[in-house]
Amino acid sequence: MKHFFNSTLIAAMLAASLQSAAAEKIIVDTRKPGAEISPTMYGLFFEDINYAADGGLYAEMIKNRSFEFTDPLMGWDAFGKFEIKSDGPFERNPHYIRLEYPGHPHKRSGLQNEGFFGVSVKENENYQFSVWARCDDSRNSKIEVSLVKPDMDENFQAVAKATIEITSAEWTRYTVTLTPSMNVSDGLLRIMLRSENPVELEHISLFPEDTWQNRPGGLRRDLAEKLDSLHPGIFRFPGGCIVEGTDLDSRYQWKNSVGQVENRPVNENRWHYTFDHRYFPDYFQSYGLGFFEFFQLSEDIGAEPLPVLSVGLACQFQNSDESAHVSPDSLKPYIDDALDLIEFANGPVTSTWGKLRAEMGHPEPFGLKYIGIGNEQWDEPYVIRLRQFVDAIRSRYPDIKIVGSSGPSPEGKRFDYLWPQMKELKVDLVDEHFYSPESWFLAQGTRYDGYDRKGPKVFAGEYACHGKGKKFNHFNAALLEAAFMTGLERNADIVEMATYAPLFAHVKGWQWRPDLIWFDNEKSVATSSYHVQKMYADNRGTNVLQTTMAGHPVAGLEGQNGIFSSAVTDKRTGQYIIKVVNTSSEPQPLEIELKGLPKGTHQVKAITLQSSDPDADNTIDNPYLITPAESQFAFENQLLSTTIPASTFTVYIVQ
Ligand code: AHR
């Protein structure tokens, strides 16, 4: 995150600090640190929606690389003499293309791929092209691979080119490095047959050499870095609705997402047709970013992995008929999937699934502690099925924490039915989802104050403020999320984790807004909501401090003028950290008293997120419009007097 020293902001704050008459007073008691804040408190929820995986975090640049989309040539233009065949070397992805000599030296056989919203490459960077290929009998074949840029005259110009000699009639992987001579944002990958002998090609792939952790075939660096920079405590994957599928056939099946990447069967992505107004017929899941990679990423960024599996219910929004789901007495394969997943993550290398993990390059266990069963499920059909999973997991893996669902809404009939059921089933955490308007967020400051402390913990697993009539990213939504999060923090004894949703969106391929991080093929941008998440995660602290205004929690209650606040101490650093959100459109005189702070002067670093335009947000073209600004204050004899500007979220860090 960039911190700018904003002198105007500081001057305004200092000037205003002189006028403390009629100030609201927040009292923070440092003397008795309260509940511990779970290291998992602020985390990430990843779902392959908005081209978050293929076309996004997964750095593969070729769409439909295995010719396995419903139309095997989707994303490709094939020309000359070609044929799609289906007896290839990878049994779960059997299609490939055969190119033959077109009959005249001036004719061409070949194919070109449009990538994800274009193939975008950078000048002088290296790109790894690979292909599985074979020639007929022992006569070599030759292909020419090029990155082409449609130029101003609509000619096609090769910015990188290489020739590959195919020397074996056995399927063999060939690789070459392409280094473009110029930037191209909407290019193509083209392959031409350059021999009279035919050639057969399968799993045609192109990755930047520069990936997260420099892993070949890995993740897009800028996107992974944005995740890492949030220091997430928990990483929930792979969804969301894609866990359930539109029908059971299209549900996410983790076993299909591990092992050799070429043999992971392509799955449709339910988001390709979920919204007519955002219809993307070319949205499939290659599973190149699969469960192994999710575990690895969790480890890289220091987050506890939280996989979510199907409970045997297809999306209940789309399937009201019981016959669409697995009958409760046929759940065994689904339960086995859950048990096998735990073995894949944690089992010894001598176990079936632990062995696969080791073969994939990670003999050490991933240390899985949590598993989610079902996404947004509801009513009795869920409870009946979940019970079987709970029994099976408890008896084999009693230490694994199970996350159950409270349905798709944060209140109402389904929610009220499920919470007691989750208690009865003794799940460890209950996942709550809320995509709600401003009024809802403003009214939820004390949501968790009255929750039963003896039951399961809360996982606020999907949330975002969806402004009324404003389903796009904007500052005011982020501000209200910050306000709401004071209530999560104050209730850290019951709220164990929270994740904003969705995480990623491609500017040309989104289905759902708002989102935390936007990107195109070249750049990415952190939204205001991202900065809010980061300000919390960077300043998580270790223990809650009691924070009150006239004896009440500071939660935007009547008479509190839209102020929300929470505070923590960090026992590791000795810091006190106070978060204050002014949701009103007026500046407000404010005093903060830190009871128990030794008398004298204590320096305070303040980090403030502010925008004068509530509808504005950062964009790809203007990525730093709204960024946190740093300023300095001091507590004099336990007291800080200031005026908090309108519509601001400030974190005060007291040494
Ligand atoms: O985050 C987008 C979707 O919202 C998720 O897939 C689903 O769980 C919820 O309905």
Side-chain angles (χ1 to χ4, degrees), residues 142-427:
K142 202 188 275 179
I143 55 170
E144 183 186 273
V145 184
S146 50
L147 290 166
V148 293
K149 172 186 193 302
D151 73 14
M152 304 274 275
D153 303 323
E154 294 189 5
N155 296 318
F156 287 84
Q157 182 183 349
V159 299
K161 197 183 275 189
T163 301
I164 302 177
E165 194 97 21
I166 311 301
T167 53
S168 172
E170 299 297 320
W171 284 105
T172 307
R173 185 169 183 262
Y174 297 83
T175 61
V176 72
T177 301
L178 298 171
T179 310
S181 56
M182 64 175 83
N183 291 334
V184 180
S185 57
D186 54 356
L188 299 163
L189 174 92
R190 179 182 291 163
I191 300 171
M192 299 268 210
L193 178 65
R194 292 293 192 200
S195 60
E196 287 193 10
N197 202 29
V199 73
E200 294 180 337
L201 307 172
E202 159 68 313
H203 199 91
I204 300 171
S205 170
L206 182 72
F207 273 90
E209 193 176 83
D210 180 28
T211 56
W212 167 248
Q213 306 278 335
N214 297 315
R215 291 194 185 108
L219 307 183
R220 214 175 110 169
R221 180 187 290 283
D222 63 325
L223 297 183
E225 280 175 354
K226 282 208 165 48
L227 303 187
D228 188 39
S229 156
L230 285 171
H231 313 304
I234 191 84
F235 186 71
R236 175 179 177 234
F237 58 88
C241 292
I242 66 164
V243 167
E244 306 159 47
T246 304
D247 49 21
L248 287 172
D249 284 347
S250 54
R251 76 189 190 280
Y252 196 105
Q253 299 190 49
W254 79 265
K255 285 176 179 165
N256 289 343
S257 79
V258 294
Q260 188 183 8
V261 81
E262 291 87 342
N263 211 13
R264 300 181 191 176
V266 167
N267 191 16
E268 74 183 40
N269 188 314
R270 58 147 301 145
W271 294 108
H272 104 211
Y273 44 67
T274 301
F275 302 119
D276 280 348
H277 65 289
R278 300 294 300 169
Y279 187 72
F280 291 90
D282 64 350
Y283 198 1
F284 286 76
Q285 301 176 78
S286 70
Y287 282 150
L289 172 51
F291 264 45
F292 179 86
E293 291 78 16
F294 282 129
F295 280 121
Q296 197 175 44
L297 177 60
S298 307
E299 186 173 82
D300 292 343
I301 60 183
E304 296 293 345
L306 167 49
V308 185
L309 298 190
S310 164
V311 71
L313 294 168
C315 177
Q316 285 172 279
F317 282 113
Q318 294 165 322
N319 299 279
S320 48
D321 192 324
E322 181 64 25
S323 66
H325 311 299
V326 186
S327 92
D329 52 15
S330 307
L331 272 177
K332 187 169 180 318
Y334 289 72
I335 295 170
D336 286 348
D337 275 358
L339 299 174
D340 292 344
L341 177 65
I342 299 169
E343 184 179 290
F344 177 74
N346 293 353
V349 298
T350 47
S351 63
T352 310
W353 292 100
K355 181 164 176 277
L356 177 60
R357 182 193 70 239
E359 285 165 3
M360 291 184 74
H362 203 288
E364 293 304 316
F366 280 116
L368 177 69
K369 297 187 183 120
Y370 301 91
I371 192 165
I373 304 296
N375 175 43
E376 279 177 351
Q377 322 300 165
W378 62 73
D379 290 349
E380 209 187 1
Y382 175 47
V383 176
I384 290 171
R385 288 168 177 81
L386 179 61
R387 189 181 300 280
Q388 295 189 43
F389 282 80
V390 171
D391 290 348
I393 295 169
R394 290 277 184 254
S395 82
R396 180 105 49 102
Y397 299 107
D399 294 336
I400 293 286
K401 289 189 176 180
I402 300 174
V403 182
S405 164
S406 60
S409 319
E411 57 259 313
K413 232 173 86 200
R414 289 172 180 151
F415 183 88
D416 293 344
Y417 166 75
L418 276 177
W419 253 102
Q421 296 292 330
M422 293 302 115
K423 284 182 187 169
E424 204 261 311
L425 282 175
K426 293 194 169 53
V427 301

